Amino acid sequence: VLKSMRDIAREAGVSLATVSRYINKNGYVSEEAKKKIEKIVKQTNYTPNELARAIFSKNSKIIGLLVPNISNPYFNELALIIEEYVSKHGYSIFLCNTNDDPTKEREYINVLQGHRVAGIFTVRAQCKKEYELFTVPVVSFESIISDDIVTIVTDNYQGGKLAFDHLKSNGCNHLLHITGLDFSKAVHDRYQGFLDEAKKEGMSVDIIRFESDFQRKMLEANIKTLENIEKYDGVFVFNDIAAATVIRYFKQKNVHIPDEVQVIGFDNSYIGEFLFPSLTTIEQSVQEVGNKMADALIHLINGETIENKIIMIQPNVLVRESTKAKKE
Ligand code: XLF
């Protein structure tokens, strides 16, 4: 049965203030008092109730994972990898969808704090100071929150360059880049890498922006804005789920991929393999991202320090059927 601090104080024969100092780790508690309290806490603490456990040990064995939206295949695979990794260390995942909405993100941070999570993974975060105030470790994917918070990020600029080089070497001349959310530095870097490389080659690129990378309806709405799409022979899309919609759209218009237009995505989400034609993409290995995030957070939870706060993942081109060298 869960006991109150008052019960523990009575049974241990110490003051309520001492128990409070012990539990909150904020003041001196004599060794003798500590032993007495621990004995009672141990007897009490047989309950599997995570929150009860958390109350006595300060933090639970739960880790929060904030993702923009689990319906993006990249994020659902990432969640699986992270969950598998941390469960081997005795932790469970508390999954939160932020919908790329800072208000929701903030609310979830509060909820996680209330649950005394042992740590937080956050993906494409927009809130900053909320994480800095958090006393437990945080590991971020893509967004640099502060100098102290470990961030795993793909070299997105390089990824954009690779996408351009691939389309160019396949003989594409009329290029379109479909970019995404304007607040995302990752998305912006992909755009910049692609454009800078095109500029070097003296080629121009048309740009279209999608407002979201989830919610199919939104993508479908965006895609309707693509007029005269037939004039392009090479399209770089900011991520694979958006590229899936683009492929579908070209098919509806009877534009043949890759003979008339070549399409390259970004991620290497598992859906790329299932598309027809299958999707060429710039891979940001989800296995590597997930493992590096989980490994970093577990180390931090265990009280270790990580010197290198920015952990960079190198992208690479994964050629499938949606691109092909043009015949001379
Ligand atoms: O935030 C970027 C955009 O979408 C992220 O890495 C992703 O590529 C995942 O699909």
Side-chain angles (χ1 to χ4, degrees):
V1 178
L2 186 55
K3 291 180 180 161
S4 69
M5 287 212 274
R6 202 172 294 279
D7 294 334
I8 296 170
R10 201 183 48 246
E11 286 179 37
V14 300
S15 73
L16 180 60
T18 309
V19 176
S20 162
R21 280 201 302 278
Y22 169 85
I23 287 173
N24 295 315
K25 294 201 180 112
N26 67 352
Y28 174 76
V29 181
S30 72
E31 279 308 311
E32 200 190 336
K34 237 184 235 172
K35 270 192 202 131
K36 285 182 188 164
I37 297 168
E38 271 161 12
K39 197 170 153 210
I40 308 295
V41 167
K42 255 190 207 133
Q43 287 167 4
T44 311
N45 201 16
Y46 68 88
T47 161
N49 181 332
E50 253 317 294
L51 269 184
R53 214 192 67 78
I55 287 163
F56 291 110
S57 65
K58 269 207 108 188
N59 290 329
S60 68
K61 295 288 270 180
I62 298 171
I63 295 176
L65 168 58
L66 291 112
V67 292
N69 194 304
I70 201 71
S71 69
N72 178 333
Y74 192 80
F75 298 139
N76 63 53
E77 199 170 2
L78 184 65
L80 281 174
I81 292 163
I82 288 179
E83 192 262 345
E84 192 180 330
Y85 194 113
V86 301
S87 70
K88 289 193 186 124
H89 293 264
Y91 291 92
S92 306
I93 288 292
F94 186 140
L95 182 64
C96 314
N97 284 293
T98 65
N99 277 353
D100 282 318
D101 173 356
T103 309
K104 259 196 112 182
E105 189 180 341
R106 209 165 291 126
E107 276 166 16
Y108 266 131
I109 295 171
N110 283 336
V111 171
L112 292 174
Q113 209 152 15
H115 280 73
R116 297 181 194 235
V117 292
I120 291 190
F121 295 109
T122 183
V123 173
R124 209 157 75 191
Q126 291 182 78
C127 298
K128 298 231 155 140
K129 62 174 189 312
E130 288 80 354
Y131 293 103
E132 287 175 54
L133 295 174
F134 223 64
T135 48
V136 296
V138 175
V139 169
S140 167
F141 175 56
E142 283 184 356
S143 302
I144 297 176
I145 296 173
S146 77
D147 292 347
D148 300 331
I149 292 180
V150 174
T151 307
I152 316 293
V153 64
T154 302
D155 188 341
N156 289 293
Y157 185 83
Q158 171 67 9
K161 283 171 75 170
L162 290 175
F164 174 84
D165 293 344
H166 181 67
L167 292 178
K168 167 91 193 347
S169 70
N170 275 357
C172 299
N173 293 309
H174 305 286
L175 298 178
L176 172 69
H177 175 43
I178 300 179
T179 186
L181 304 145
D182 58 355
F183 73 82
S184 160
K185 185 173 183 303
V187 169
H188 180 78
D189 288 352
R190 290 170 200 179
Y191 158 101
Q192 204 61 58
F194 192 77
L195 252 70
D196 286 354
E197 199 69 357
K199 213 170 167 187
K200 265 196 226 156
E201 297 292 328
M203 284 171 75
S204 68
V205 177
D206 284 351
I207 308 288
I208 288 179
R209 182 183 297 283
F210 277 12
E211 300 302 332
S212 168
D213 61 357
F214 50 81
Q215 292 155 355
R216 216 176 58 224
K217 282 207 175 79
M218 174 89 86
L219 286 174
E220 281 167 2
N222 280 316
I223 206 99
K224 295 214 172 72
T225 66
L226 296 173
E227 278 174 14
N228 305 325
I229 193 145
E230 294 87 343
K231 72 178 183 196
Y232 301 106
D233 61 359
V235 182
F236 168 42
V237 191
F238 76 101
N239 74 7
D240 283 359
I241 184 69
T245 344
V246 172
I247 285 194
R248 185 178 159 77
Y249 186 74
F250 275 125
K251 281 210 186 137
Q252 279 170 351
K253 290 204 135 205
N254 284 323
V255 179
H256 190 272
I257 307 170
D259 293 336
E260 290 171 276
V261 63
Q262 305 192 30
V263 179
I264 183 165
F266 199 110
D267 277 345
N268 190 20
S269 283
Y270 60 89
I271 46 144
E273 278 179 72
F274 305 135
L275 297 172
F276 186 73
S278 60
L279 181 67
T280 294
T281 192
I282 303 298
E283 176 180 42
Q284 52 168 350
S285 163
V286 68
Q287 193 70 48
E288 195 180 344
V289 170
N291 285 345
K292 291 227 156 97
M293 287 175 76
D295 183 61
L297 194 65
I298 296 292
H299 274 84
L300 293 169
I301 291 174
N302 291 340
E304 292 159 44
T305 45
I306 296 176
E307 296 301 331
N308 193 359
K309 304 288 193 243
I310 308 269
I311 301 172
M312 207 49 130
I313 305 284
Q314 279 314 313
N316 58 282
V317 186
L318 201 93
V319 181
R320 295 204 190 93
E321 294 161 349
S322 64
T323 59
K324 186 173 113 187
K326 283 191 189 183
K327 291 197 186 84
E328 290 301 316

